[in-house]
Amino acid sequence: MSSLQDWLTRLERLHPSEIELGLERVSSVAAALGVKKPAPTMITVAGTNGKGSCVATMEALLCRAGYSVGAYSSPHLLRFNERIRINGEEVSDQQLVESFVAVEAARGATSLTYFEFTTLAALWLYQRAGVQYALLEVGLGGRLDAVNLVDADLAVITSVAVDHEDWLGSDREVIGREKAGILRPGAPFVCADSSPPQSVLSASEKQASSSYFIGQDFSITSSGESEIYHFGDLVLSIPDITLPRPSIAAGLTALTLLDALPQEGIEAALAQIALPGRCQQVYWRERNLLLDVGHNPAAAEHLATWLKANPVEGKTHALVAAMEDKDLVGLFAPLRKLVDRWHPAMLPENGRAAEGEALCTGLLEAGIDETNVDRRCPTVAEGLRQLLPTLNPQDRLLVYGSFFTVAEVLQQMRDEGNGELRG
């Protein structure tokens, strides 16, 4: 297998299930690879939402400060390479192939899931590159996630909300306990959840050398038209970007604790951060689009807050497709009064995607008037083709519900090559 795509196809078939939580197998292969401490400073980030934003914040600031840094996040939108970055740049296909060859040689007969295999590949690449900081985003939960094979020198939890109920449970206390599994004795802990469950508080008391909570030890407050970050003597103005403020604050706090913030240009570095699919504004085919990968109630609440703060002169239409195991009512209800017309759509090539009838039922149960629901339920691609010509220039088309939904739009934009990103 010489190509990256050959390897990725093989990895998808390597393990009988997509997810198998537990650290014994992946830790044994990590030991064989020698990657259980791939960088001098390891920072692990868990949370229901906002993990990627926190990692992106720290990545940008560490690069600005002149440190070498590896950043690992998931899932990707268009290219697998998005998941593994070194010094702000995606690793190449060749680097990935080399890392996969190394993991394959080390694993022997040990079975690994797709995520476990690729996590090990990331750690191998970071060690090989000699990065000073490695930022690891948890894939699912925390305690039993493959990322947790590494002992974090600092742990961050961005938020605790209900999601992935089949794996993590439907109770914030139980979910919080799983996420707090990334804490290590003697290592500091930063929490950006404004109301953490008791399970997180208890874990921090038992494990962390010191704990820092948003609203208590650090904060972001409004001052006129500005937002100000406070932590001890550090005061910074937060630029007008789309990332969730608690995640930015957590990243700033983590690097302050490690004495790793740049000496100057912090606000300029923050202003340059943009994550695809996070309240991403696009001008395409002479129409205004807003792309958001939000796929659970907490993410929908954040999206609703953004929509309220950024109204349009025309109407807001929502093209939405989501996975069948999600809380569809919770995904739709926060936007009930902010969307004028709903267009549920399908992702026929995704076996986990909800069918049109389930989406329509979820919309109605969320209190949305049936007259505002388009029940034709095309695919996302067909929905785009049908909808865009019918919109006025003052209207906005919101596309949200999952990473897969947003990826469909970004792929079409890439294929056509005529989209203009506006945030």
Side-chain angles (χ1 to χ4, degrees):
M1 291 178 293
S2 58
S3 75
L4 174 59
Q5 188 54 55
D6 287 343
W7 271 101
L8 294 176
T9 299
R10 181 169 188 267
L11 298 188
E12 290 172 352
R13 303 168 180 167
L14 195 61
H15 194 276
S17 60
E18 181 181 358
I19 299 172
E20 183 181 344
L21 296 177
L23 297 179
E24 183 177 350
R25 291 171 299 100
V26 70
S27 292
S28 67
V29 181
L33 267 178
V35 297
K36 298 197 75 171
K37 181 69 171 178
T41 303
M42 306 295 304
I43 303 176
T44 302
V45 182
T48 306
N49 295 304
K51 299 186 296 292
S53 296
C54 184
V55 168
T57 297
M58 292 189 289
E59 180 183 19
L61 292 171
L62 287 167
C63 287
R64 178 79 179 205
Y67 295 107
S68 58
V69 56
Y72 179 56
S73 58
S74 63
H76 62 276
L77 281 168
L78 298 181
R79 285 164 38 89
F80 179 87
N81 312 57
E82 299 167 22
R83 296 184 180 219
I84 305 175
R85 302 181 298 279
I86 296 177
N87 298 330
E89 300 291 334
E90 297 174 8
V91 297
S92 67
D93 288 8
Q94 183 58 38
Q95 287 174 296
L96 286 168
V97 168
E98 291 172 1
S99 69
F100 291 161
V101 169
V103 175
E104 180 70 5
R107 78 177 182 91
T110 303
S111 177
L112 296 172
T113 66
Y114 181 99
F115 185 77
E116 291 168 341
F117 201 108
T118 57
T119 298
L120 290 168
L123 300 179
W124 186 84
L125 285 168
Y126 298 151
Q127 180 165 283
R128 190 185 192 197
V131 300
Q132 296 164 281
Y133 288 84
L135 315 175
L136 306 180
E137 178 187 332
V138 168
L140 178 65
R143 181 175 63 91
L144 299 176
D145 186 84
V147 161
N148 202 35
L149 73 88
V150 175
D151 289 331
D153 296 297
L154 185 148
V156 179
I157 294 179
T158 56
S159 64
V160 181
V162 176
D163 197 11
H164 302 292
E165 295 178 55
D166 290 345
W167 293 97
L168 303 179
S170 57
D171 181 277
R172 284 186 79 236
E173 288 295 334
V174 174
I175 294 171
R177 189 173 299 113
E178 290 299 312
K179 297 189 185 305
I182 67 170
L183 275 64
R184 291 296 190 273
F189 165 56
V190 176
C191 181
D193 191 302
S194 60
S195 181
Q198 184 59 46
S199 56
V200 170
L201 299 175
S202 297
S204 70
E205 291 175 1
K206 293 178 182 177
Q207 295 273 40
S209 62
S210 53
S211 299
Y212 303 85
F213 293 88
I214 195 167
Q216 177 178 321
D217 303 292
F218 64 97
S219 64
I220 289 186
T221 58
S222 296
S223 177
E225 296 183 359
S226 301
E227 291 179 294
I228 308 299
Y229 166 79
H230 299 263
F231 180 40
D233 296 330
L234 180 61
V235 179
L236 293 168
S237 177
I238 303 300
D240 184 19
I241 56 176
T242 60
L243 302 188
R245 299 306 185 257
S247 292
I248 296 174
L252 285 166
T253 303
L255 296 190
T256 301
L257 293 171
L258 297 172
D259 195 25
L261 284 177
Q263 294 298 308
E264 57 184 22
I266 294 176
E267 294 168 8
L270 292 175
Q272 297 300 313
I273 304 173
L275 281 179
R278 278 73 165 186
C279 290
Q280 181 181 15
Q281 298 177 80
V282 174
Y283 188 68
W284 184 44
R285 297 183 183 175
E286 300 182 340
R287 294 296 182 266
N288 297 302
L289 281 72
L290 179 67
L291 312 179
D292 195 87
V293 297
H295 52 271
N296 54 47
E301 292 283 359
H302 174 72
L303 178 56
T305 299
W306 192 94
L307 288 170
K308 290 175 185 175
N310 297 272
V312 291
E313 294 182 9
K315 294 184 177 181
T316 294
H317 292 250
L319 180 66
V320 59
M323 300 299 101
E324 63 181 354
D325 60 342
K326 298 300 178 181
D327 178 356
L328 296 179
V329 174
L331 183 62
F332 302 146
L335 279 67
R336 183 177 63 247
K337 297 180 180 180
L338 298 167
V339 172
D340 299 288
R341 181 75 171 162
W342 292 83
H343 306 270
M346 295 185 292
L347 295 162
E349 295 183 4
N350 190 310
R352 292 177 50 217
E355 294 292 335
E357 187 59 35
L359 293 170
C360 289
T361 299
L363 287 166
L364 298 181
E365 291 181 355
I368 294 163
D369 193 314
E370 187 170 7
T371 61
N372 294 327
V373 178
D374 179 355
R375 301 187 69 101
R376 289 177 294 176
C377 299
T379 64
V380 171
E382 290 170 345
L384 279 172
R385 179 177 57 79
Q386 295 168 5
L387 268 174
L388 288 179
T390 70
L391 302 183
N392 293 318
Q394 297 79 21
D395 293 342
R396 171 169 55 199
L397 177 60
L398 166 64
V399 181
Y400 88 111
S402 77
F403 276 83
F404 302 104
T405 311
V406 170
E408 286 274 348
V409 180
L410 291 177
Q411 186 62 58
Q412 287 200 40
M413 288 183 60
R414 173 175 287 188
D415 292 344
E416 291 188 15
N418 64 351
E420 177 189 342
L421 302 185
R422 291 188 168 180

